[in-house]
């Protein structure tokens, strides 16, 4: 037969799995690299020889399929002989040298043979012969070696970013599936395969060894699918399913894999928790985990990978990890924090499991209704409750761990429990205290988790959606009196006895202490009333009152915790770390939804972060702004509130905002309008509010309109809306009520529109002319009361905005300002009264100073327009010249090229000279026109006389402040005027009777002068430093801020005056003491 012709010698000894594939060439195997008839002359003959070997193996497989093992023993011996083993060895060793088709045929033949042997094994009822064991072992070993070689080659190819071919994926699937079938047959029929069931570990572990190699590369969903990771995990699960399976080598291999690969912890946990039929592997791995020494060799990167196993196993099998906790708890003392963090995560998963089981028990008990079943369920719940409390205590202790990573893991576990409603009610208050305490942690990661925990606790609080403390405090008083006045008889008797004893001791009877003791006693008694106990209607009502009182007390305690931590919470907003800021903003958004009082102050403080240098913080502030004022809660800004509600929210915010808050609100509104996130109808509602509410609400509406117009001028710039603005802001009601806040808001809205044109037929220009007339009235102070200081103080802001509006919209602002000055001069100085009103004089100086500054700005704007026009004209001339030159070159007319080029250069030189002349004119206007030859200069001697106050007759505080500030503004316009009057300014600053406000304002003005004229101010720098020793904290703080800006911008040299700043390091005011080291750090 063909079989007898191709088979030569029988195997003389049992097949033993070698250490390596090459060991088959030595004793006792004595195989050759190639069969004796192998033709190695050239590539073609080699391919044919390999095909011949595969063909012979296929013939043997067909014989096996025909039932050779069911025939004579000699046929069996002939089937598995040395020549077949030689062919298997040659093809396996040279598998990567085979052609693709030959290698695939060999693989299919080998896998089919193993499947046939597994089928024979499963059908047999008696222990099989040694020949079968040799055949089975050798084929499984060859398949393992084939997989090892091909997978190693595939791994090297993947490192070179080569994608695996479809043939390789199909081959891997077939081989892994065959290995799974082999280990399943060995596990099921080990008593038939081996005598007395004593298995050969070397053969048993071959499928596991191939699975380990595949699992090493199963990092990720796609990789796991590509390398048949699921089948590999099933192989390991099958290998350990029997009680007498060799667990030790499997455990050692899995521990080594977890140490080397991060993804192996989750895969190993899945094997233990989902695929294994028993807990043997889990137990051995956890015992080995508990014996690990975190102070030894595991203090490497691998310790993190191994530590993750406990947490991953607790995720898939929390009950078993809970049962094995005594073996794991010693790792809380491990030096490596990874173990402690992993155990904390494990406790979290266990607590989640307990909560889920308790919920199921409660639902099942209520559904069944069987008394015996209810008792059993109640016992289970009670046992879980005891264990749960111990685990919560352990979790609470670990928040003080020495490692910040473990502390963060603890807080993260609390966040998970609270967000999944697995946190018992009695644990809410302790968890809140713990999170508040961790806000002071020195590590950013811990503070971030603490803020997240506070936010989650607030979202999932067991109280109510509204945490405004006022209704709770009112309810507490009623409930307290109701409980105290209806105490049970025995407790009331004890209360009376306690009062009598205190009176007998001739001591002050502390009624509150007695009532508190009685209240504690009645709460203990009521809490002891079980559900099985029969209560009267009166007792049931009293029990309800006590429960309501306890609930109200707990709610107020919860609210008070947040109120007491307001300083820490607001401090997170001012943190230099972006993570602290973003988490604090998210918390305050939630606090606003629940009406916590701390939310209002926190949100106002957060608005200043609109000016942060970090884009992420600005985006988070804007998101918080939208979530609170624009969008529906919980919609991530996608679903806006009703238009009326948005308008009302913005009006409330603007009405309660300070000046600095309004600047931040404006920045937010500008961005939102630009992004079209505020509905257009909101602006119509704001205009309506401005018409109907001429008071503070109208002023707030106009302020919001002005902010919005900065991005979209059409909100204001139309005839109808300008007419509305005239009626609202400058109408009869505004004049009679002298609502300067409303007037200032209306004037501020005018800054956003285009300048009026001299066109009598344009209705818009007619409205603007009327508005300019009203602005002049406001600027002159025609509506002011001379006897009211408060009225004049409120007028200052409105006058500034009005003058600025005149320079924005008037066709000839200089002429308008001249009319204002003449009018005020006539009423103030040329008055027929014997004495000049100090308030009128203060208003005159204020207007003169502000007009001078605006004239300077207006001049700079005009010069800039001229410069841009000149540059545009020059660029056009240059382009025309280049085109003409190109045309001449193309036409060949180069004769006059040199002369024309000279003309162009001369023209360009004239343009440069013209630009220099414009700059000189600008300097001349600033130095000589505004103050030297202009109308304002007429009042300069009077202003200097009032500031000097040599006669002592100008003592009015408002007049002094207005005159000094006007002098500073004059000095900002002209360097000559500044240099001439700097001694006067410092003389006034050094007077003993100067008010704190005036000193602080003067210091800020000196900072502006130092930026404008650094050379003129430099000799007087030591006088500015001297203000750091002022008795007023406000003056010192302003001086410190001014010097910080000047020094960091290199406008003032530090020199020897730095000692004055060094002394501020120990200043009593904490804000000043904090600014000094900041300055030194920046230097």
């Amino acid at each position: 037969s063909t079989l007898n012709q191709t088979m030569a010698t029988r195997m003389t000894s049992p097949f033993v799995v070698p250490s390596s594939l090459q060991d088959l060439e030595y004793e006792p195997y004595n195989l050759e690299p190639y069969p004796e008839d192998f033709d190695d002359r050239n590539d073609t003959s080699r391919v044919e020889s390999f095909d011949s070997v595969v063909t012979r193996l296929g013939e043997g497989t067909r014989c096996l399929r025909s039932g050779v093992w069911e025939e004579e023993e000699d046929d069996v011996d002939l089937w598995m002989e040395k020549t077949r083993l030689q062919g298997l060895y040659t093809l396996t060793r040279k598998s990567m040298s085979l052609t693709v088709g030959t290698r695939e045929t060999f693989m299919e033949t080998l896998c089919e043979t193993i499947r046939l042997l597994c089928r024979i094994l499963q059908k047999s009822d008696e222990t099989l012969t040694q020949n079968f064991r040799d055949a089975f072992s050798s084929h499984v070993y060859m398949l393992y070696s084939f997989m090892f070689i091909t997978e190693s080659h595939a791994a090297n190819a993947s490192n070179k970013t080569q994608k695996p071919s479809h043939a390789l994926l199909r081959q891997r699937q077939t081989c892994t599936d065959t290995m799974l079938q082999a280990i399943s047959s060995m596990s099921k029929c080990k008593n038939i395969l081996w005598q007395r069931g004593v298995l050969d570990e070397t053969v048993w572990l071959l499928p596991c060894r191939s699975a380990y190699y595949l699992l090493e590369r199963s990092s990720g969903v796609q990789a796991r699918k590509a390398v048949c990771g699921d089948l590999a995990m099933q192989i390991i699960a099958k290998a350990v399913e029997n009680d007498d399976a060799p667990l030790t080598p499997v455990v050692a291999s899995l521990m080594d894999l977890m140490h080397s690969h991060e993804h192996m912890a989750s895969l190993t946990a899945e094997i233990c928790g989902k695929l294994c039929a028993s807990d043997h592997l889990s137990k051995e791995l956890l015992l080995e985990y508990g014996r690990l020494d975190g102070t030894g060799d595991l203090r490497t990167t691998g310790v993190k990978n191994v530590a993750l196993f406990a947490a991953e196993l607790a995720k898939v099998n929390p009950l078993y990890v809970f049962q094995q906790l005594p073996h794991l708890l010693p790792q809380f003392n491990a030096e490596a924090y990874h173990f402690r963090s992993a155990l904390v995560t494990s406790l979290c998963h266990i607590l989640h499991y307990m909560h889920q089981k308790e919920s199921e028990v409660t639902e099942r008990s209520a559904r069944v209704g069987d008394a015996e079943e209810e008792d059993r369920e109640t016992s289970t719940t009670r046992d879980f409750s005891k264990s749960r409390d111990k685990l919560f205590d352990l979790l609470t202790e670990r928040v003080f761990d020495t490692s910040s990573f473990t502390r963060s893991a603890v807080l993260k576990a609390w966040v998970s429990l609270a967000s999944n409603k697995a946190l018992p009610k009695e644990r809410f208050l302790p968890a809140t205290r713990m999170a508040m305490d961790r806000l002071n942690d020195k590590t950013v990661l811990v503070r971030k988790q603490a803020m997240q925990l506070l936010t989650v606790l607030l979202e999932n609080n067991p109280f109510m959606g509204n945490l405004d403390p006022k209704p709770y405090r009112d309810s507490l008083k009623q409930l307290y009196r109701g409980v105290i006045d209806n105490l049970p008889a025995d407790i009331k008797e004890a209360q009376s006895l306690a009062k009598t004893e205190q009176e007998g001791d001739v001591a002050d009877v502390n009624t509150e202490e007695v009532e508190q003791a009685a209240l504690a006693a009645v709460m203990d008694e009521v809490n002891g009333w079980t559900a099985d106990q029969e209560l009267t209607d009166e007792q049931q009502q009293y029990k309800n009152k006590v429960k309501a009182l306890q609930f109200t007390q707990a709610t107020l305690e919860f609210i008070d915790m947040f109120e007491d931590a307001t300083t820490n919470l607001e401090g997170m907003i001012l943190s230099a770390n972006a993570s602290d800021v973003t988490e604090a903003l998210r918390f305050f958004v939630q606090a606003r939804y629940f009406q916590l009082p701390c939310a209002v102050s926190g949100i106002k403080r957060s608005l200043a972060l609109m000016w942060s240098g970090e884009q992420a913080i600005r985006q988070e502030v804007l998101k918080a702004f939208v979530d609170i004022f624009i969008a529906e809660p919980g919609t991530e800004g996608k679903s806006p509130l009703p238009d009326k509600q948005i308008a009302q929210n913005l009006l409330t915010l603007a009405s309660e905002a300070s000046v600095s808050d309004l600047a931040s609100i404006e920045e937010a509104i500008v961005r939102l309008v630009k992004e079209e996130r505020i509905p257009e109808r909101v602006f119509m509602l704001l205009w309506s509010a401005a018409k109907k509410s001429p008071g503070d609400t109208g002023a707030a509406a106009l302020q919001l309109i002005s902010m919005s117009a900065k991005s979209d001028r059409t909100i204001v710039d139309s005839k109808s809306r300008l007419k509305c603005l005239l009626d609202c802001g400058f109408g009869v009601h505004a004049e009679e009520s002298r609502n300067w806040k409303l007037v200032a808001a209306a004037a501020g809205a005018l800054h956003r529109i285009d300048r009026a044109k001299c066109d009598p037929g344009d209705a818009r220009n007619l409205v603007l002319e009327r508005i300019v007339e009203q602005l002049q009235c406001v600027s002159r102070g025609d509506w002011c009361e001379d006897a009211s200081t408060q009225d004049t103080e409120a007028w200052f802001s409105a006058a500034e905005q009005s003058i600025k509006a005149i320079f924005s919209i008037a066709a000839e602002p200089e002429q308008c300002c001249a009319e204002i000055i003449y009018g005020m001069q006539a009423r103030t100085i040329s008055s027929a009264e014997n004495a000049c009103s100090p308030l009128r004089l203060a208003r005159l100086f204020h207007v003169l100073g502000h007009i001078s500054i605006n004239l300077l700005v207006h001049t700079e704007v005009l010069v800039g327009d001229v410069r841009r026009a000149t540059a545009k004209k020059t660029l056009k001339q240059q382009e025309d010249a280049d085109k003409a030159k190109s045309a001449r070159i193309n036409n060949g007319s180069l004769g006059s090229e040199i002369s024309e080029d000279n003309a162009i250069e001369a023209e360009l030189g004239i343009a440069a000279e013209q630009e220099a002349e414009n700059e000189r004119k600008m300097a001349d206007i600033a130095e000589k026109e505004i103050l030297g030859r202009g109308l304002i200069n007429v009042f300069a001697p009077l202003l200097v006389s009032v500031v000097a106050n040599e006669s002592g007759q100008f003592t009015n505080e408002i007049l002094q402040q207005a005159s000094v500030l006007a002098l500073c503004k004059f000095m900002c316009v002209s360097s000559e005027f500044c240099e001439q009057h700097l001694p006067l300014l410092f003389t006034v600053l050094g007077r003993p009777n100067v008010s704190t406000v005036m000193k602080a304002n003067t210091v800020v003005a000196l900072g502006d002068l130092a930026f404008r004229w650094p050379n003129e101010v430099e000799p007087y720098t030591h006088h500015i430093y001297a203000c750091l020793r002022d008795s007023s904290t406000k003056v010192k703080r302003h001086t410190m801020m001014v010097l910080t800006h000047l020094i960091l911008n290199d406008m003032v040299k530090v020199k020897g005056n730095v000692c004055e700043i060094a002394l501020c390091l120990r200043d009593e005011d904490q804000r000043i003491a904090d600014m000094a080291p900041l300055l030194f750090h920046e230097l």
Side-chain angles (χ1 to χ4, degrees), residues 134-153:
D134 291 342
F136 188 85
S137 301
S138 60
H139 282 77
V140 172
Y141 175 72
M142 291 303 174
L143 180 58
Y144 159 74
S145 300
F146 176 81
M147 291 179 67
F148 180 80
I149 293 171
T150 54
E151 291 298 332
S152 299
H153 185 271

Side-chain angles (χ1 to χ4, degrees), residues 730 743 747 751 775 778-779 797-807:
F730 308 103
V743 173
H751 301 165
L775 290 173
V778 173
S779 302
S797 176
E800 290 180 0
Q801 296 296 326
S802 298
I803 293 172
K804 187 176 179 181
I806 289 174
F807 277 92

